[in-house]
Amino acid sequence: MLGPQVLLVAGTHGNEINGPWLFEQWSRKPNLINTHGLNFHRVIGNPAAYKIGKRYIDRDLNRSFQEHLLIDDYPSDSEILRARELIDLYGPNGLNPSNIAIDIHSTTSSMGSSLVVYERRASDLALASLIQARLGLPIYLHEGDQTQKGFLVERWPCGLVVEIGPVSQMVVSSTIVSQIRLILEAFFKSLQEVETKTVSFPDRLIVHRHLRSLDLPKDSKGFPVACLHPDIQGKDWQPIHCGSPLFLDFDGSLFRFEEEDPLVPVFINEAAYSEKNICMSLTKREIWPMHKDWESALEKIVCS
Amino acid sequence: MLGPQVLLVAGTHGNEINGPWLFEQWSRKPNLINTHGLNFHRVIGNPAAYKIGKRYIDRDLNRSFQEHLLIDDYPSDSEILRARELIDLYGPNGLNPSNIAIDIHSTTSSMGSSLVVYERRASDLALASLIQARLGLPIYLHEGDQTQKGFLVERWPCGLVVEIGPVSQMVVSSTIVSQIRLILEAFFKSLQEVETKTVSFPDRLIVHRHLRSLDLPKDSKGFPVACLHPDIQGKDWQPIHCGSPLFLDFDGSLFRFEEEDPLVPVFINEAAYSEKNICMSLTKREIWPMHKDWESALEKIVCS
């Protein structure tokens, strides 16, 4: 029995530098984070991009873990090569086999400390529930989005994204670094409890389920004619209701949210999503009862 | 008599996108800003860098207006060529002669709306005093810094930098855009009043005079061993006193400000200054009586 083999990734986007900063401090001060005796690897996701302070070189690494990109006869670029390399080095069948991946991101949005879960893998939901129970943080369930695929953590048997903000690209913030540290300790503690069978799962999980993303209002040439309304800036996780202002154009005209059911916006004004034509994503807040098979899926991975 | 010929520059740093955003909106809605009938040109300072969302291509354009770089036999790169081009196009003897340059920047620091004046040119001080009297904003007097030279506005007979923050690189904020708009209208109104001799100068000018810049504490290999203390983050323009916390290392050790006289920090944690080894600059707040020759220097330029 190997127990949990944790892969910690930071700098998957080269201009999100708080995770890499913590890694560098931690490598010099091994006791900086209580790992509860678990095995782990730290890796900079995209070192070439990190070196030049850009999100990526050729394409977004965290959209590059798609099946068709990973096969050898697909024309390769910097990120495709790196994706293959990470799997070879740390994948479940790699040189340093890892079965749980934690990918640490920062965002210019006011997401606070949060987790992102992709689709609905049982082990991910179980692990996320433990962190939520411990820290009370919100979870964004990203699913069913045909335009956003190929996330790193999906290639590991269990994997979550940590998203913390707001922080500017290329800025180190002691607050953000402390939040990462806290959340990593929560991961290690939770996994150790699963391994030693001392864990107590919560009876429910609160998720914010992805429905769709919004773009800024644009004219026929694709030029934005309004920007985010100041009232919604910084209000990630806060429900918007029918009539809530969304956008403001410079004539003073308002664009309002016009649906009956309140929804919860996330990733409001994330700098890097502008090129993806996303100014926020809309989610539905749901409370799910825990499932026994989620727990056993996680236990199986942790105790394999 | 030509009157004031105003050159408005935005995107001198390609990842500071609020100024360019406003320019694009404004070019579509000519009445967006009240220019009080003055002549002006708008230009994107570094279009190549703006296009790829980077501060610069080869070197910081806003340090490239140094005499030795501008002469033809100096080896050129993207920014040196652009600096020469801007002077050829909009310099006081250029194709579109301009005598007043306003260079619009944004910053990740919490500078609010502020002005930067370089060295102590009489006309700059006079113009800054009018904006300060109108809007009540702080002025950073950058002078005597041998490591930071060659600013764009210094090549025009009168020129100021507008610095507004906090905003992440690559993020458009309606608040920041509105602040730019307000400050541009204050410039146009003030210059019109000088031109029509209806101006009333204040009797004093409050400046924050640059003394020196601080770097993060680093080890012998240049690796930072601490980050900015959370208590100072976001506290631009607020005096620090003997004992004020500056930096925090991950053992919890504090580095404190240890001088007797209180100083005023600016550009705290500006993302782009990390590569310049600057985590803040320290200034001394001073109240200067107005000088008649500052006023006449500005009047001479405006009414030339």
Side-chain angles (χ1 to χ4, degrees):
Chain A
M1 184 178 116
L2 281 172
Q5 306 290 316
V6 185
L7 176 65
L8 301 175
V9 192
T12 295
H13 296 131
N15 54 9
E16 299 175 5
I17 64 175
N18 286 271
W21 166 280
L22 178 63
F23 279 13
E24 291 185 25
Q25 297 288 342
W26 183 12
S27 68
R28 284 164 171 80
K29 297 173 185 171
N31 296 324
L32 191 62
I33 290 178
N34 185 350
T35 59
H36 295 274
L38 299 194
N39 294 316
F40 66 93
H41 300 285
R42 282 181 297 246
V43 67
I44 300 296
N46 197 337
Y50 177 55
K51 196 171 174 188
I52 61 167
K54 277 193 67 176
R55 184 173 173 92
Y56 55 78
I57 305 293
D58 295 315
R59 70 168 73 211
D60 192 333
L61 177 61
N62 204 29
R63 305 294 184 277
S64 299
F65 288 78
Q66 300 183 52
E67 201 66 48
H68 72 285
L69 301 179
L70 296 174
I71 54 178
D72 274 345
D73 56 353
Y74 193 91
S76 59
D77 58 26
S78 180
E79 276 73 20
I80 291 177
L81 288 174
R82 181 59 178 162
R84 293 174 187 163
E85 185 177 43
L86 284 169
I87 293 170
D88 290 345
L89 283 171
Y90 302 106
N93 302 309
L95 204 57
N96 306 284
S98 305
N99 47 21
I100 298 167
I102 310 295
D103 190 15
I104 302 160
H105 291 251
S106 61
T107 169
T108 64
S109 304
S110 298
M111 295 285 274
S113 287
S114 63
L115 298 179
V116 186
V117 180
Y118 298 100
E119 307 302 332
R120 302 188 187 204
R121 295 194 305 184
S123 60
D124 297 350
L125 295 173
L127 181 55
S129 79
L130 292 175
I131 306 302
Q132 185 172 71
R134 196 174 288 279
L135 300 178
L137 46 66
I139 296 168
Y140 173 37
L141 170 63
H142 188 264
E143 66 174 10
D145 184 348
Q146 292 310 309
T147 62
Q148 304 285 332
K149 289 176 168 184
F151 298 94
L152 182 148
V153 297
E154 295 182 288
R155 287 284 144 185
W156 274 258
C158 174
L160 299 176
V161 156
V162 172
E163 266 301 349
I164 307 186
V167 65
S168 176
Q169 294 172 347
M170 302 306 290
V171 164
V172 171
S173 152
S174 63
T175 308
I176 301 287
V177 173
S178 297
Q179 286 172 292
I180 300 173
R181 199 171 154 183
L182 189 67
I183 210 167
L184 288 183
E185 292 194 335
F187 271 112
F188 283 117
K189 178 71 178 156
S190 299
L191 290 169
Q192 185 223 26
E193 289 179 354
V194 175
E195 189 185 19
T196 58
K197 310 208 185 297
T198 57
V199 71
S200 169
F201 283 94
D203 57 7
R204 60 179 204 166
L205 175 70
I206 305 170
V207 298
H208 293 79
R209 181 166 60 83
H210 176 86
L211 296 181
R212 62 186 176 282
S213 296
L214 296 186
D215 192 9
L216 292 176
K218 290 180 176 168
D219 67 16
S220 58
K221 289 176 182 162
F223 180 79
V225 296
C227 61
L228 280 166
H229 194 282
D231 284 359
I232 199 169
Q233 176 71 44
K235 302 285 176 57
D236 303 78
W237 306 113
Q238 299 184 33
I240 50 174
H241 300 267
C242 190
S244 292
L246 290 180
F247 309 114
L248 180 66
D249 93 359
F250 289 94
D251 297 328
S253 309
L254 282 186
F255 298 71
R256 294 180 185 276
F257 181 66
E258 292 184 340
E259 295 173 38
E260 281 303 310
D261 289 336
L263 295 179
V264 179
V266 295
F267 286 111
I268 299 168
N269 219 355
E270 157 56 36
Y273 291 176
S274 171
E275 67 176 22
K276 301 182 197 292
N277 297 315
I278 295 173
C279 69
M280 74 182 76
S281 293
L282 296 179
T283 71
K284 190 159 172 48
R285 186 173 188 270
E286 294 180 343
I287 302 175
W288 293 356
M290 280 296 286
H291 287 213
K292 276 288 160 201
D293 56 345
W294 299 349
E295 301 174 17
S296 54
L298 180 60
E299 282 159 353
K300 192 174 162 194
I301 290 168
V302 168
C303 303
S304 64
Chain B
M1 184 178 116
L2 280 174
Q5 305 290 316
V6 185
L7 175 65
L8 301 174
V9 192
T12 296
H13 296 132
N15 55 8
E16 298 174 5
I17 63 174
N18 286 272
W21 167 280
L22 177 63
F23 278 13
E24 291 186 25
Q25 297 289 341
W26 184 11
S27 67
R28 285 166 172 79
K29 297 173 185 171
N31 296 323
L32 190 62
I33 290 179
N34 186 349
T35 58
H36 294 274
L38 298 194
N39 294 317
F40 67 95
H41 300 285
R42 282 181 296 245
V43 66
I44 300 297
N46 196 337
Y50 176 54
K51 195 171 174 188
I52 60 167
K54 278 193 67 175
R55 184 173 173 91
Y56 55 79
I57 306 292
D58 294 316
R59 69 169 72 214
D60 191 334
L61 177 62
N62 203 29
R63 305 295 184 276
S64 298
F65 288 80
Q66 300 183 53
E67 200 67 48
H68 72 285
L69 301 180
L70 296 174
I71 55 178
D72 274 344
D73 56 353
Y74 192 90
S76 59
D77 58 25
S78 179
E79 276 74 20
I80 291 177
L81 288 174
R82 181 59 178 161
R84 293 174 188 163
E85 186 177 42
L86 284 169
I87 293 170
D88 290 345
L89 283 171
Y90 302 106
N93 303 310
L95 203 58
N96 307 284
S98 305
N99 47 21
I100 297 167
I102 309 295
D103 189 14
I104 301 159
H105 290 251
S106 63
T107 169
T108 63
S109 305
S110 299
M111 295 286 274
S113 285
S114 63
L115 298 178
V116 186
V117 180
Y118 298 98
E119 308 301 334
R120 300 186 188 206
R121 295 194 305 185
S123 59
D124 297 351
L125 295 173
L127 182 54
S129 80
L130 293 175
I131 306 301
Q132 186 172 68
R134 197 174 289 277
L135 299 178
L137 48 67
I139 296 169
Y140 172 37
L141 171 63
H142 188 264
E143 66 174 11
D145 184 349
Q146 293 309 308
T147 62
Q148 302 286 333
K149 289 178 168 181
F151 297 94
L152 181 148
V153 297
E154 294 182 289
R155 288 284 143 186
W156 275 259
C158 176
L160 300 177
V161 156
V162 172
E163 268 297 352
I164 306 186
V167 65
S168 176
Q169 296 171 346
M170 303 305 292
V171 165
V172 171
S173 152
S174 63
T175 308
I176 301 288
V177 173
S178 297
Q179 285 172 293
I180 299 172
R181 198 171 154 184
L182 189 67
I183 209 168
L184 288 183
E185 292 194 336
F187 271 111
F188 283 117
K189 177 71 177 156
S190 298
L191 289 169
Q192 185 223 26
E193 288 179 357
V194 175
E195 188 185 18
T196 56
K197 307 204 188 300
T198 57
V199 71
S200 168
F201 282 94
D203 58 6
R204 62 180 202 166
L205 176 69
I206 305 170
V207 297
H208 293 78
R209 181 166 61 82
H210 176 86
L211 298 180
R212 62 187 177 282
S213 296
L214 296 186
D215 192 8
L216 292 176
K218 290 180 176 168
D219 67 16
S220 57
K221 289 177 182 163
F223 181 78
V225 295
C227 61
L228 281 165
H229 193 283
D231 284 0
I232 199 170
Q233 176 72 45
K235 302 286 177 56
D236 303 77
W237 306 114
Q238 299 184 32
I240 49 174
H241 300 269
C242 190
S244 293
L246 291 179
F247 309 114
L248 181 67
D249 93 0
F250 288 93
D251 297 329
S253 308
L254 281 186
F255 298 72
R256 293 179 185 277
F257 182 66
E258 291 183 339
E259 296 174 37
E260 282 303 312
D261 290 336
L263 294 178
V264 179
V266 295
F267 285 111
I268 298 168
N269 218 357
E270 158 55 37
Y273 290 177
S274 172
E275 68 176 22
K276 300 182 197 294
N277 297 315
I278 295 173
C279 68
M280 73 182 77
S281 293
L282 295 179
T283 71
K284 192 160 169 48
R285 186 172 187 272
E286 294 180 345
I287 302 175
W288 294 356
M290 280 296 287
H291 287 214
K292 276 288 161 202
D293 56 346
W294 299 349
E295 301 174 17
S296 54
L298 179 62
E299 283 160 354
K300 192 173 163 196
I301 290 169
V302 167
C303 304
S304 63

